[in-house]
Amino acid sequence: MLTIGAFAKASRLSPKALRLYDELELLRPARVDPGTGYRYYATEQLGRARLVAWLRRLGMPLARIRLVCALEPGPAAREIGAYWAGVEAETAARRDLAAFLVDQLSPSPGKDTTMLELRCSALTDTGLVREANQDSVHAGARVLAVADGCGPGGGPASTAAVRALTFLDDEPLSAGGVLNLLEDAVEGAARAVADLVPRHAPAGAPDGGGTGSTLTALVWTGSQLALVHIGDSRAYVLRDGGLFRITHDHTVVQSMIDEGRLAPEEAATHPQRALLLKALGSAASVPDLRLQDVRPGDRYLLCSDGLSTVVPEEGIERLLASAPDPDTAVRALVGAANDAGGPDNVSCVVADVVEATRPAGLRVG
């Protein structure tokens, strides 16, 4: 028998990793001392341990490693081959995303100074299962927003979150100062949501079922978009024929995917898929804030999870790319969510970046 330290050295896995794999029932020790809890491993386990180490070096999620380790050598080899084919396909998509981000973030002193404007449309729907709509949407002179309320006061919470931003429709904005204004506006939104929380209830859905709201919004400066995001509503951009998600879900499931503890394809059926790590109304929930460069021809989508959890991204991309205008796009997207069962409220805002035919602003329609 080998101590955990000796086994870690022989298998090239750290003791910390061995303890994690024990907890996940991926690599259980041969014996655990009942008095001290110290783990001991058999030399026969080195083959499986090394396989786990190699698969982790490939970047394979733990859930899929468990599957491979349970297979006979032939099926295990085929499973690894299938995984790697998926990695190569994903790498190609990530390469395109990296090129998009490099272009977006690169200094651009010589960029075209063509005046731009937004043309947008918004739509929210209760869906086919829920009795009430707790989503709120807004498409104003400068502000585009989607909020998804949760808990007993979810509807008023999402409405309060969106309304706290709408004063920016009437503010003179510049790319240099919009993030500060937006940060102040989001603090106001958080206070507005917190004021709705009953004193006996927990503050926000991440703490176990109290009133709260997600918020994903874009604020137009005339040349850029300022993004604010908290929760699991999403923002996408359709650019040059490809769909890119520009927000990151603040959920338990997404954190497990990020840590390699869950495969992306397992997220849709995970029992904690609706559990938020951040939301307005929850203490110490800091939103994501940043500026987004735009191009003529960009099409932006804001949506609640009533769309993204039931319509796959390839379906969203197809509908966005084929719709001739934002109004057609939001109707098609909401219709697709309801065609998929409409299990939740669904809300969408679609905005096109176009060359201005009048002084820069935003045209709703």
Side-chain angles (χ1 to χ4, degrees), residues 13-30:
L13 290 167
S14 70
K16 181 179 179 181
L18 289 173
R19 287 190 286 269
L20 173 62
Y21 299 160
D22 180 12
E23 293 171 5
L24 297 175
E25 300 183 357
L26 185 61
L27 184 63
R28 305 305 298 266

Side-chain angles (χ1 to χ4, degrees), residues 71-357:
L71 296 174
E72 294 297 322
R78 289 192 290 273
E79 180 66 22
I80 294 169
Y83 166 76
W84 192 249
V87 169
E88 290 181 325
E90 181 185 355
T91 299
R94 291 171 66 190
R95 179 193 61 223
D96 294 340
L97 176 57
F100 162 74
L101 292 172
V102 167
D103 179 76
Q104 175 186 322
L105 298 173
S106 295
S108 51
K111 274 195 175 179
D112 188 2
T113 57
T114 302
M115 300 296 288
L116 301 174
E117 64 182 14
L118 299 185
R119 295 176 182 171
C120 66
S121 185
L123 185 63
T124 184
D125 189 85
T126 303
L128 304 181
V129 175
R130 300 291 178 89
E131 295 183 356
N133 193 347
Q134 294 189 313
D135 286 2
S136 294
V137 297
H138 178 80
R142 289 187 177 90
V143 177
L144 313 173
V146 168
D148 180 0
C150 48
S158 68
T159 299
V162 169
R163 284 180 177 172
L165 300 186
T166 56
F167 79 94
L168 293 172
D169 279 333
D170 303 318
E171 289 288 320
L173 301 176
S174 67
V178 68
L179 290 182
N180 290 334
L181 282 173
L182 190 52
E183 185 174 15
D184 292 342
V186 173
E187 289 178 0
R191 289 193 298 270
V193 172
D195 288 344
L196 297 170
V197 179
R199 292 185 180 181
H200 62 276
D207 298 330
T211 294
S213 180
T214 72
L215 178 64
T216 302
L218 292 168
V219 179
W220 176 241
T221 69
S223 60
Q224 288 181 305
L225 287 164
L227 169 70
V228 59
H229 168 69
I230 187 167
D232 64 350
S233 296
R234 291 182 175 180
Y236 296 88
V237 59
L238 183 72
R239 175 178 287 182
D240 296 332
L243 184 69
F244 304 97
R245 177 149 58 106
I246 57 175
T247 54
H248 195 71
D249 292 348
H250 299 140
T251 63
V252 169
V253 164
Q254 184 62 57
S255 70
M256 294 173 69
I257 294 172
D258 295 342
E259 294 166 2
R261 298 169 71 100
L262 188 71
E265 57 269 21
E266 297 172 309
T269 58
H270 194 278
Q272 292 182 313
R273 60 188 178 277
L275 188 59
L276 299 177
L277 290 175
K278 291 183 180 183
L280 294 176
S282 179
S285 284
V286 179
D288 299 337
L289 283 166
R290 71 170 187 274
L291 286 174
Q292 174 85 15
D293 282 341
V294 300
R295 291 183 188 173
D298 283 352
R299 172 167 283 182
Y300 287 86
L301 166 67
L302 307 181
C303 66
S304 63
D305 67 337
L307 176 70
S308 59
T309 58
V310 296
V311 180
E313 286 196 359
E314 55 268 25
I316 294 174
E317 179 178 347
R318 176 178 53 80
L319 292 169
L320 280 176
S322 61
D325 54 67
D327 187 63
T328 304
V330 295
R331 293 180 185 278
L333 291 165
V334 170
N338 286 332
D339 289 344
D344 197 358
N345 310 146
V346 56
S347 298
C348 300
V349 176
V350 172
D352 288 348
V353 180
V354 299
E355 293 187 11
T357 54

